[in-house]
Amino acid sequence: MAQIISQTGFAHLTDLPCFRLQLGHATAVISAYGAQLLSYCPHPQQEVLWLSSEATWHNHTAIRGGVPVCWPWFGPAASQLNPDNVSLPNHGLVRNRLWQLEAHQITADSISLTLLITLNDLPYIDGSCELRLTVTLTEHQLTLRLHCNQPMLRQAALHSYFNIGNIRHTTVSRLPRRYHDKVQQTIVDNATTELTIQEETDRIYQQPGAELLIQTPGQHLQLKQHGHDATVVWNPWQQKSRQLSDVTDDGYLHFVCVESASLSLAQADTLDLSQTLSLERVDA
Ligand code: TA6
């Protein structure tokens, strides 16, 4: 069975406008608010993404979990993108706005859906700009593609929160050795290409490869990325988790963010950033 259903509500977010994609055993749910993928299950009950039980979307709040779309800046807006130095939200302007359904397609072996947002209030650009997010579900993988044809100065990220059971038993591998440690404010040359998180972690890896692996006992998630110039790995750990009103005190144990990003502000450019997820079960 292959279908796309428009539905109101997902999990505890009972009034959220969403689309549910189903292809055979695989399902995905994407919110029109933020064009945020909230769920990807290659098989029933096998949730790849983490969504905070405390997430909310009212009062212009960005939803904590799934795959938030960060655009046209990542983190706080850089001065080139905020010439008047006004107060702007973290991670851009599209996480907390409604997107429109632009197109959908069902073929024998895939379903895809494109959401569109048009902005005419970018603080550093005159006129309007269109950004699209296409989600494509096949039986064995899901691809998110964030694209914009207009060359412009911008950053972007697919800020994926992965459901990992227990952070202490999770490894992210195939990372570059060098990274910018945002917690310690230093550049680090690591001895390994593997990371097991044991403390607050906020790292920017420049020029990572096209394929990463997130391993937990019993399963391997392959993450392929394209159009990126950085990968960000984030976990707030205990103390920061407690400071986040939309994460429970032990919430940090259950997710890791591994984000495909395009962060360079060296020149105006179009955008074609994607992340493809495929889950492999591993015999214990
Ligand atoms: O991607 C990591 C990061 O930039 C962290 O520095 C952390 O603040 C996180 O994103 C979450 O940001 P948010 O605005 O969603 O609270």
Side-chain angles (χ1 to χ4, degrees), residues 62 64 74-75 90-91 95 159 161 182 202 232 234 244 257 259:
R64 177 78 59 197
F74 181 79
N90 206 34
H91 289 325
R95 291 194 296 176
H159 193 304
Y161 287 75
K182 281 174 63 185
D202 196 349
V232 180
W234 179 60
L244 295 169
C257 286
E259 312 163 31

Side-chain angles (χ1 to χ4, degrees), residues 1 3 15 27 34 45 48 72 110-111 145 179 185 199 252 262:
M1 185 182 37
Q3 60 179 359
D15 53 359
T27 58
Q45 318 301 328
V48 168
S110 75
I111 302 187
R145 176 175 172 236
Y179 61 87
Q185 297 291 347
E199 59 189 344
Y252 73 99
S262 174

